[in-house]
Amino acid sequence: MSNTSMNMGRATFYEDRNFQGRSYECSSDCPDISSYMSRCQSCRVQSGCFMVYERPNYMGNQYFMKRGEYSDYQSMMGMSDGFRSCRMIPMHRGNYKMRIYERENFGGQMHEMMDDCDSIQERYRMSDCQSCNVMDGHWLMYEQPHFRGRQMYMRPGEYRSFREMGMSGMKFMSIRRITDMC
């Protein structure tokens, strides 16, 4: 197996629950699943990790999926119409580094992270996190402490305003690295 194929994720998406109906095999980002099927209600992730989104173009609520079977999105994730887009999360080997900021545009308190944090408020005494800079690795931010609630996928880059990214009113309270757990 080549190095490229080892880093590639693969998932098969199905129109109906329990892996029924038309299917679409995916090994990269897909901004609009409706180009291939009318809806997506179940999925098998054969390898790698994926982030799925409620709406096209990587918008709306997001859900992390690692290797496994997801027979019914509605009961598992509360998505009434399944999902409309997905991103394949590349495997990262090396260091993880992220700076989180209390306010938008990298304002207020700043803390540098290199590992998981199950409670931003307890560890850093920060009641809110509104921007960040991901220098290394891929991360998941969670709405609640202890890695629960709604999620947001963060890949390397600057994120000046979570509000402007459509996350208005959402506070991030815990953060986890996406490691080779896929």
Side-chain angles (χ1 to χ4, degrees):
M1 189 180 272
S2 73
N3 218 12
T4 306
S5 62
M6 283 176 46
N7 290 331
M8 194 178 297
R10 196 177 89 211
T12 306
F13 302 109
Y14 298 86
E15 266 188 338
D16 299 318
R17 293 181 181 107
N18 299 313
F19 319 109
Q20 301 295 309
R22 290 191 325 179
S23 66
Y24 167 65
E25 191 167 297
C26 183
S27 59
S28 63
D29 295 354
C30 182
D32 191 358
I33 297 280
S34 65
S35 304
Y36 305 99
M37 54 181 49
S38 61
R39 65 185 176 278
C40 186
Q41 297 289 322
S42 58
C43 173
R44 283 189 174 109
V45 177
Q46 290 91 350
S47 62
C49 297
F50 287 81
M51 206 70 195
V52 296
Y53 300 79
E54 242 177 352
R55 299 193 326 250
N57 298 313
Y58 320 113
M59 301 296 288
N61 288 325
Q62 308 175 23
Y63 300 91
F64 176 74
M65 295 184 350
K66 59 184 180 179
R67 186 176 175 169
E69 295 191 344
Y70 303 85
S71 62
D72 182 359
Y73 291 138
Q74 188 170 9
S75 65
M76 291 174 65
M77 302 174 193
M79 295 173 99
S80 58
D81 291 330
F83 69 88
R84 303 284 187 216
S85 55
C86 72
R87 283 195 194 278
M88 197 272 302
I89 301 172
M91 188 180 291
H92 175 76
R93 296 202 188 279
N95 295 324
Y96 287 77
K97 190 174 179 182
M98 169 189 226
R99 288 188 181 137
I100 58 173
Y101 298 85
E102 184 178 30
R103 294 194 208 106
E104 292 182 342
N105 295 310
F106 313 123
Q109 287 185 62
M110 183 278 291
H111 296 281
E112 192 167 281
M113 300 178 56
M114 297 177 83
D115 60 0
D116 300 349
C117 176
D118 67 351
S119 176
I120 292 170
Q121 191 165 18
E122 284 181 23
R123 184 182 291 179
Y124 300 117
R125 303 291 181 243
M126 274 176 66
S127 60
D128 204 356
C129 174
Q130 295 182 10
S131 59
C132 73
N133 183 3
V134 177
M135 279 88 70
D136 290 306
H138 297 260
W139 302 74
L140 281 178
M141 297 182 80
Y142 294 83
E143 182 179 36
Q144 299 170 19
H146 309 291
F147 317 114
R148 296 194 327 241
R150 291 186 292 173
Q151 308 164 359
M152 187 162 77
Y153 168 51
M154 310 302 283
R155 55 190 181 174
E158 292 184 345
Y159 301 88
R160 294 184 170 280
S161 172
F162 297 150
R163 180 182 48 80
E164 288 177 9
M165 293 171 59
M167 299 293 166
S168 185
M170 190 167 158
K171 286 187 174 188
F172 292 105
M173 304 305 289
S174 55
I175 302 172
R176 174 177 278 164
R177 297 164 297 152
I178 301 174
T179 61
D180 57 5
M181 66 184 172
C182 298

